[in-house]
Amino acid sequence: MVALARSEGHDLVHGADLAPALVGVDTIVDVTGIQTLSRHRSRHFFETVAGNLHRAGTAAGVKHLVALSIVGIDGVDASYYGGKLAHERAVERGPLPHTILRAAQFHEFTEQTLERGKVGPVSVVPAARVRPIAAAEVADRLVTLAEGEPIGRARDLTGPRDELLIDMTRALLNARGIRRTTIEMRLPGSFGRAMSSGRLRGHANADRGTITFADWLAANA
Ligand SMILES: NC(=O)c1ccc[n+]([C@@H]2O[C@H](COP(=O)([O-])OP(=O)(O)OC[C@H]3O[C@@H](n4cnc5c(N)ncnc54)[C@H](OP(=O)(O)O)[C@@H]3O)[C@@H](O)[C@H]2O)c1
């Protein structure tokens, strides 16, 4: 296995040719990400990474590109999600045979939004109805898909129950004994609506993980 990340000496956006690092690799699993609310930056990042992986993977003899996307983003061509839709299209364009898994927000997303929303002693948390899943369960599914044949779009994967991000955030702070004021805020535009409306929970017929946020919190407090 080879890990391609900046911390491992490989920059998938600005780096040199990646083909030498991919020699002997059968399958690439693309779980790269960028923290931005800019549609332009998100698109540029994901399209560049997918294009570079296709090019270098083809040169190195890779057989399968597996990419991770997000449930419920159809029609939300805005902000970060606009970049994820572009990511999917860039993966589909080939030439490597591909599999795309759409997953719900991770339980770990709570920690990410808490960090990003810090304004002095207050944390601003986006209003969001989600169906979160443990990242470990998503990783298990990615491994299964990587070991199989390319199938295009895989079955969506969401968590076992619906949650509100603000409740998850407060439970996280409480479990860790951190006193911090949290304010729920409805973000503007289609990006904000997608979060607050519950659209990002995906379809009811998606596969479901089994680890609830409470389970995850008990193990990660
Ligand atoms: N978080 C969620 O709730 C969630 C839910 C569903 C799907 N997803 C998707 O899952 C993926 C990962 O999300 P995440 O939240 O886990 O992101 P993350 O914690 O920010 O991790 C991003 C990863 O990408 C690597 N990376 C960033 N820029 C890079 C570059 N220029 N070259 C090489 N590697 C680079 C980072 O490593 P270095 O910093 O070392 O480069 C890191 O390992 C994203 O595609 C996201 O859309 C996330």
Side-chain angles (χ1 to χ4, degrees), residues 72-159:
I73 58 172
D74 289 317
V76 194
D77 194 5
S79 190
Y80 179 79
Y81 301 132
K84 291 305 292 182
L85 287 170
H87 184 205
E88 293 182 355
R89 288 193 295 267
V91 169
E92 286 163 354
R93 270 199 295 276
L96 290 177
H98 70 274
T99 298
I100 295 172
L101 172 66
R102 282 184 170 186
Q105 283 64 43
F106 306 155
H107 295 325
E108 290 82 352
F109 181 62
T110 317
E111 294 169 307
Q112 294 173 320
T113 49
L114 186 62
E115 281 306 309
R116 290 173 203 160
K118 278 184 178 168
V119 185
V122 173
S123 277
V124 179
V125 178
R129 297 162 64 82
V130 291
R131 193 167 287 160
I133 182 162
E137 292 192 293
V138 177
D140 283 347
R141 177 62 61 91
L142 285 169
V143 169
T144 302
L145 292 169
E147 288 173 344
E149 295 296 315
I151 56 171
R153 187 64 191 279
R155 286 182 60 81
D156 290 359
L157 182 61
T158 67

Side-chain angles (χ1 to χ4, degrees), residues 34-97:
I34 182 173
Q35 296 188 10
T36 182
L37 291 178
S38 154
R39 177 174 174 272
H40 175 75
R41 288 192 62 211
S42 180
R43 276 190 71 149
H44 177 261
F45 176 85
F46 286 112
E47 285 182 338
T48 306
V49 169
N52 286 341
L53 289 176
H54 269 303
R55 207 166 13 259
T58 303
V62 171
K63 300 179 184 70
H64 187 183
L65 172 61
V66 178
L68 182 59
S69 191
I70 305 175
V71 295
I73 58 172
D74 289 317
V76 194
D77 194 5
S79 190
Y80 179 79
Y81 301 132
K84 291 305 292 182
L85 287 170
H87 184 205
E88 293 182 355
R89 288 193 295 267
V91 169
E92 286 163 354
R93 270 199 295 276
L96 290 177

